[in-house]
Amino acid sequence: MKGTRSMKNFVSVPRAFLGALAAFSLLGGPAAHADIDVVVDINQLKCIDENDSFTKDEPYVIVVPFFVDGSTVKVGKLGSNEFAASPSSTVTVMKASKTHDNIKSGDDWCKEGSSWYSIPASTGEFKHTMKPISPEVTGPFAKKVAVAGVIVAVVEEDGSTIQAANASRDAIVSTLRDQLTLAMFQQKFDIGVIRQKISTQVKNAAISATVQNLTLPGIVDPDDLMGADADTWTYEQLEAAGANGIPISMRFKNKDDGEYEIKGKVRVIQNQLPSSVSVQIKRISAVGNFSESPDFYATIEIANNKKQFPRIDDKAMIEPGWSHSVNVGQDEKVSILLSVRDYDSTSGNDVVDINPNKSINGLPSPADLVLLFDRATGEIFHIDPLSGSANAKKKIGMKGQTITLKGTAANESAEIRFVIQ
């Protein structure tokens, strides 16, 4: 716009502020965690001491991963800092379909003191997308309930039927689900008690199935439960370990001196983020009073990499399609600044208000838009430090959505539509 005009009382964002954006992520409470793809992989077994006196062993394993996490646990608020699981909450318990011969087929294959045997993925590998308990939840509930784990039982195959072996597996699943559900609502998680109850239930279920099927070999020489063990991890531990994972190692020994060892790992599959972030301004339209048709131009700044676009003269609404892309590597949180100006050849270019927040306590809010893009979650936040801590960080949309915001000033304000990807 040409001509003389007094400068409006708008605040531009200090350049140093952008360099410290990470600190402002704390003002709106803890940052939201992303979903993580967790793989529980029990993949090796070793026969340390054979259970059978006259022949070699032929063990099988029962692997039952479990998750008490935000994918199925819903919370309700009891007080200012108290939360409890809602009645609709459940736990996730997984199992493999095969029991007998789920490591190797045939008799007498596990040699005492031998090297490690591989456990097939169909038997010991499980994947689950784990979600954190709601990020608003703090205190003991969130810390004690957001867990993943695995129960492993090693059984020496003797005379029991497949039905009896499957009954043992199903007893583990049923008992574990019941005990985890109880722990979730009581906020008390004692894996030792759960392990003990599972051992008892496994034996009882196998005996019951054998008797019901009237199999003499199973009654005379039932499969021997070498033992059941467990390991657990919190969401934070898994997130911190990432793709490197956490080792799993368990030993099993029964009264007849048979002894086995299993190994494995729990790890997080880390999906690569796109290398770049792009921002497109789709539309700018005048909202407040402009004495003449504005000459809009804009700047997009991504991670301190700035690009200014040429002005478009004498139009109250433009659809420029201005776009800027920056390589940010694997950074999960990226700062973005959007600013709009009105060209004035005589009195200096005017700052155009595109910040939706109003002035607080006599302090004008910044006219520019300061944004934070959490690439792990896809969330986009508006940062407004002068509006008070309660409004300093506000979610305004998600990756790929068209977001519309507009300034609140009576003069020199505009509506802006943009997309962040």
Side-chain angles (χ1 to χ4, degrees), residues 400-418:
Q401 292 180 346
T402 297
I403 299 171
T404 302
L405 297 175
K406 62 181 178 181
T408 60
N411 298 312
E412 298 284 353
S413 61
E415 179 184 270
I416 184 169
R417 294 185 183 181
F418 60 93

Side-chain angles (χ1 to χ4, degrees), residues 66-80:
F66 56 89
F67 298 87
V68 186
D69 69 299
S71 61
T72 54
V73 175
K74 310 304 175 186
V75 295
K77 194 167 185 179
L78 298 178
S80 58

